[in-house]
Amino acid sequence: MAKKRIFSGMRPTGKLHLGHLVGALSNWAKLQDEYECFFMVADWHALMSEYENPADLKAHILDNVIDWLACGINPERSVIFIQSEIPEHLELYFILSLITPLGLLERCPTYKEQLRQIDNRDLSTYAFLGYPVLQAADILLYKADSVPVGEDQLPHLELTRQIVRKFNHLYKTECFPEPKALLAQTTRLLGLDGRKMSKSYNNYIALSDTSEIIRKKVQGMFTDPERIRVADRGHPDKCNVFSYYAAFFPQAKQHAHERCAKAMIGCTDCKKELAALLLDLLAPIQEKRQALQKDKNYLQEILSAGRQKASLAAGKTISQVKKLLNV
Ligand code: TRP
Ligand code: SF4
């Protein structure tokens, strides 16, 4: 039986960090065993919010793809490509926008939240309202069965499904399958300061950070506020450092928990050990990163092969859709 197809994307807005690793990349890498995978760099989506500063976009795209490969996304098994290189995304985005009710977009919780929260960029644009429509176009161009996403993206997936139902109903077709969300069972990793991990808070460990920086960042992490002296028993479940043990090192988790709760270790040492574990975890990734950075031709070959495969699939869908609309 043919493998089911999954599709996912990531916006190239900066360096990838540990949150991307637990939240998406390690999951993507695993899914390659079971599914035919399309992984897309969502550069148009990035521009929807970063349109005032496109200068670093190209660099972010290449840097992110290097991280994907270093984290085990395998170009021999998966299609890796850049959204803007496949013009059909914008074509289908427009076609779907013909039938997408304005109210659905205006009520979309992610849209309302971003408008409210982001105050250093002007997001009251025509395109930004259509963000989920472009996302629907991404998924539907490849007729993906499932979409691995974080919880924050569920409203966009629901919107995609609504668009599919309307499209199929209007044009009496089964052109598009309703895509399912594949929620990864990972815990949401907080930033180093215990706030949401975010580029604008600069509270993350990048996959490309040096050993020195990683040690420093871990040493600066917030810990259990009730643990003042080494002799105080800690509450690991209230400590962000412990949540990193839990997210990345299940084999060390119980030991770390016990030593904290019984005051057998001080926070400085506990963090030193966490930093050492993180360095071990990232070492092979960084080694691959360095090799890939030296081989820009190989990277271009992968992206060009990805473009060809994506283009083939996207072209088929668009012809089908245009026929249904008599254009
Ligand atoms: N909106 C997604 C995010 O911010 C990125 C994305 C773009 C995406 N197109 C997609 C995710 C299609 C899944 C499927 O994370
Ligand atoms: Fe957190 Fe470790 Fe300190 Fe416990 S010992 S409070 S887990 S840093």
Side-chain angles (χ1 to χ4, degrees), residues 5-22:
R5 182 177 282 180
I6 66 165
F7 184 97
S8 201
M10 210 184 268
R11 294 176 313 133
T13 53
K15 288 181 193 168
L16 298 191
H17 51 60
L18 290 179
H20 295 109
L21 183 61
V22 279

Side-chain angles (χ1 to χ4, degrees), residues 84-139:
S84 65
E85 291 188 353
I86 310 293
E88 284 87 349
H89 286 257
L90 295 185
E91 236 178 320
L92 188 58
Y93 170 48
F94 174 75
I95 294 169
L96 298 180
S97 75
L98 293 171
I99 67 163
T100 306
L102 205 46
L104 278 188
L105 298 175
E106 287 166 340
R107 281 195 300 273
C108 183
T110 50
Y111 176 67
K112 292 196 290 188
E113 193 182 301
Q114 303 247 41
L115 276 193
R116 224 180 316 116
Q117 280 181 356
I118 293 177
D119 50 13
N120 56 352
R121 278 158 291 170
D122 183 4
L123 297 184
S124 52
T125 58
Y126 173 53
F128 192 66
L129 179 67
Y131 185 107
V133 186
L134 180 58
Q135 188 164 344
D138 298 339
I139 299 164

